Amino acid sequence: MAPESVDLTVRTLGDCRIESPLAPLLAETESTEHYVDENDRVLFDDTVNMVAARKAKLDALPGFEPGGPRRKIFFQPSKTRVGIVTCGGLCPGLNDVIRGLVLELTSHYGVTKIYGFRNGYQGFIAKYGHPPIDLDAEAVSGVNEYGGTILGTSRGSQDPYEIVDCLESMSINVLFVIGGDGSMRGALTIADVVKERGLKIAVIGVPKTIDNDIPYIDQSFGFQTAFSKATESLRSAHVEARAVPNGVGLVQVMGRHSGFIACYAALANNDADYVLIPEVPFQLDGDDGFLAHLRRRVRERGHAVVVAAEGAGQEYLESGEPGQVDQSGNRKLKDIGLYLRRRIADDFAEHGMETSLKYIDPSYAIRSVPANPYDSVYCIRLAHAAVHAAMAGRTAMVVGRWRGRFVHVPIALAISKRNQVDPAGDLWMSVLETTGQPRRFA
Ligand code: ATP
Ligand code: MG
């Protein structure tokens, strides 16, 4: 396969001339190797075959800028004014990230002016009437114990010129945007207006996606909490299905375009018989279709558990009302869970099989919980990396983790495509091994 061509260059606001105030913290260690060498890179490729395919000298191999503290920084901390905003849907860990940013900025860099912009990008636009709030250690104390976001969020587009007007009028130097793909598109337009006006404002994203659909990032924060929570619903569905003759448990989980939550929850639980995801189209009818398979499975084993990602099988629902979009322009999905429930019940009835079908949709229960300890650790480390990047004058980038290392990813790259389950990859293979379902229902 030809090597993937990527531009990993991160935009900077200029030379870093200011001595980092982290020196006392890092000097106590035997060496100061905690500082990132500005010339170091985290290699994009990590197998011998990938490297060999580049046919390149080592210094020509693509590599991400590593995350972490720089010896020299761009912004004078005592004069730096910071803004933080959360946009898009809820995701476990938003408050952990907010708290992580505030504490790193205040305790180690000595930044004293931090504003929380409320209700997403609306918070920059005066007419909505959501004035920013002051954030300090006290204001974020204990917020990580709760789901949601203390800053509120919203969808719907706002004019990037008006947003930058607001940043300029408040003399903000650094803006952290915590949000999904739409929010990162918004962040890039803000960074572009900043550049167009010749301003020195760093725009740094902390990508949020419960569906784990942002590319060039091993796993997004909140994802582990989300699939752990979804696993509880699978367990309930299994218990319900086993308790009655011909029982079917049907669980719809989040995953608009990417079925990672469905796959991981199914693997964690190991009781799912079928996993339906957007990446793998399936046929419902016919001898090799999903319904016939399900009927056979229930006949043989007495029960079955089906997990469907919300974006699965949308092709069955396309007819009828024209595609609708939400305030941010995202296509509204039709409810595959309800559709499957009806089709399964009808199919069993048609074949004279009595069944009891229990349908569980834990979507909002999954989004709104606080992060689990693993995600909390990940959130705080992303927040630290985001602060180091911002103080060193990076902009138009998101922080992420690539093959286990914290890295800077240009926003343009992070929104260039969607991370999806590869039907030819090892994750889907594991799902097939666990469920025993056919590679395709066709
Ligand atoms: P989620 O994954 O939960 O949907 P998201 O960040 O993608 O999160 P959206 O509602 O799509 O959520 O977008 C959040 C904000 O980003 C909205 O205010 C939206 O208007 C803005 N936004 C979305 N797409 C763009 C774009 N292409 N350019 C500028 N701003 C955008
Ligand atoms: Mg989105």
Side-chain angles (χ1 to χ4, degrees), residues 426-442:
D426 61 348
L427 174 62
W428 188 240
M429 180 68 201
S430 293
V431 171
L432 298 182
E433 287 175 301
T434 309
T435 57
Q437 76 188 62
R439 202 167 59 83
R440 301 247 173 200
F441 294 104

Side-chain angles (χ1 to χ4, degrees), residues 347-410:
D347 179 75
F348 273 64
E350 266 168 41
H351 290 85
M353 274 175 81
E354 216 175 286
T355 180
S356 169
L357 193 155
K358 298 292 189 307
Y359 174 55
I360 304 178
D361 180 352
S363 301
Y364 290 108
I366 288 175
R367 290 191 349 166
S368 57
V369 295
N372 72 12
Y374 174 90
D375 272 328
S376 293
V377 170
Y378 187 30
C379 286
I380 203 157
R381 297 192 69 195
L382 283 172
H384 292 168
V387 170
H388 296 315
M391 294 308 290
R394 285 348 189 246
T395 190
M397 56 148 272
V398 302
V399 283
R401 202 165 55 181
W402 180 251
R403 312 209 197 282
R405 302 291 297 258
F406 285 88
V407 295
H408 299 171
V409 183

Side-chain angles (χ1 to χ4, degrees), residues 175-198:
L175 175 65
F176 292 104
V177 180
I178 313 166
D181 55 335
S183 311
M184 293 308 135
R185 287 196 168 81
L188 186 56
T189 60
I190 296 169
D192 288 343
V193 173
V194 164
K195 192 174 172 202
E196 196 180 301
R197 292 188 182 173

